[in-house]
Amino acid sequence: MKQVFQSYSTGRLSVEDVPAPTLRPGGVLVHNRFSIISSGTERHAVETARKSLLGKARARPDLVAKVADKIRRDGLIETIRTVRARLDTPKPLGYSSAGVVIEVGEGVRGLRAGDAVACGGGNYACHAEIVFVPQNLCASVPAGLPLEVAAMSTIGAIAIQGVRRAECGVGDVTAVIGMGLVGQLAAQILCAAGCVAVAFDPSEAVVKIARGWGLDECFA
């Protein structure tokens, strides 16, 4: 099967022929029909990978802290080996997809071969022809819902989680800062929930998109 990978040492993207994943207990094999390119998240990953080691360190101070902890725990030589191995290992991209169940693993309930499902999760719902997904990271697609729409489910769930964490209620005036894919969805969810959503983004192009579906308060 074909799958998209990225080299974290060079940033190079490639489509590779790789063996299909094996079925494991607690999950399902899915023949992907659509996978979503999350433009902001994946562009950031590609741009970070193309940086020098110093640039990567500046971009990901959280990983620098983990490296420092590993040096203290395992020593410098072992840490260098681990970091080099991580940089040289191709990284799968994608985390939101939809397709049809091929096979169901032991212990899975409520799903069977032929079911349409939406899938989520890094290293699971990848840009690949066939993926293995744990049951708790996939959901049945309602009859009549196109799979290209169902493939957006994980990104929609991220937007909904943001709205829930903010504890927004009917009539609240809310600011959505950043009108990328998640921001566009979050603003629409807020409006549907009875909130007043005010959108901000430095890009006039994405602000124009928000105005296009009816959001009045938009600022570049």
Side-chain angles (χ1 to χ4, degrees):
M1 70 165 195
K2 295 187 181 300
Q3 183 169 351
V4 178
F5 289 95
Q6 176 194 30
S7 166
Y8 200 70
S9 59
T10 65
R12 178 178 173 270
L13 296 175
S14 61
V15 178
E16 305 290 345
D17 283 304
V18 297
T22 57
L23 182 65
R24 304 195 293 275
V28 295
L29 287 181
V30 177
H31 185 184
N32 266 344
R33 294 294 195 267
F34 297 92
S35 61
I36 295 297
I37 297 174
S38 179
S39 54
T41 300
E42 294 186 43
R43 183 174 66 245
H44 175 71
V46 171
E47 290 174 350
T48 300
R50 288 174 176 168
K51 296 178 184 291
S52 65
L53 279 176
L54 181 58
K56 288 182 175 70
R58 287 173 173 166
R60 293 295 305 273
D62 56 320
L63 296 182
V64 174
K66 289 182 179 180
V67 169
D69 288 341
K70 186 169 180 60
I71 290 173
R72 287 191 289 268
R73 187 174 63 252
D74 301 328
L76 179 61
I77 301 300
E78 178 59 30
T79 301
I80 290 174
R81 288 175 182 157
T82 301
V83 170
R84 283 178 175 169
R86 288 288 299 273
L87 289 174
D88 292 338
T89 301
K91 177 184 176 183
L93 293 178
Y95 63 88
S96 187
S97 68
V100 176
V101 175
I102 301 171
E103 197 174 353
V104 176
E106 182 182 350
V108 172
R109 299 290 182 268
L111 294 174
R112 60 184 179 181
D115 285 352
V117 290
C119 308
N123 296 320
Y124 292 114
C126 304
H127 302 312
E129 291 184 85
I130 298 172
V131 292
F132 170 82
V133 185
Q135 183 175 14
N136 66 329
L137 291 178
C138 64
S140 297
V141 175
L145 183 69
L147 285 178
E148 59 265 38
V149 176
M152 295 282 294
S153 295
T154 298
I155 297 174
I158 293 168
I160 289 174
Q161 173 72 351
V163 172
R164 285 175 171 166
R165 290 286 299 273
E167 298 182 349
C168 302
V170 174
D172 284 348
V173 179
T174 60
V176 182
I177 303 173
M179 290 301 291
L181 193 53
V182 172
Q184 297 281 347
L185 291 170
Q188 292 181 61
I189 292 165
L190 286 164
C191 290
C195 300
V196 178
V198 183
F200 297 87
D201 196 286
S203 169
E204 180 63 46
V206 296
V207 168
K208 185 177 179 181
I209 292 172
R211 291 195 187 106
W213 54 257
L215 189 63
D216 294 327
E217 301 296 331
C218 305
F219 302 93

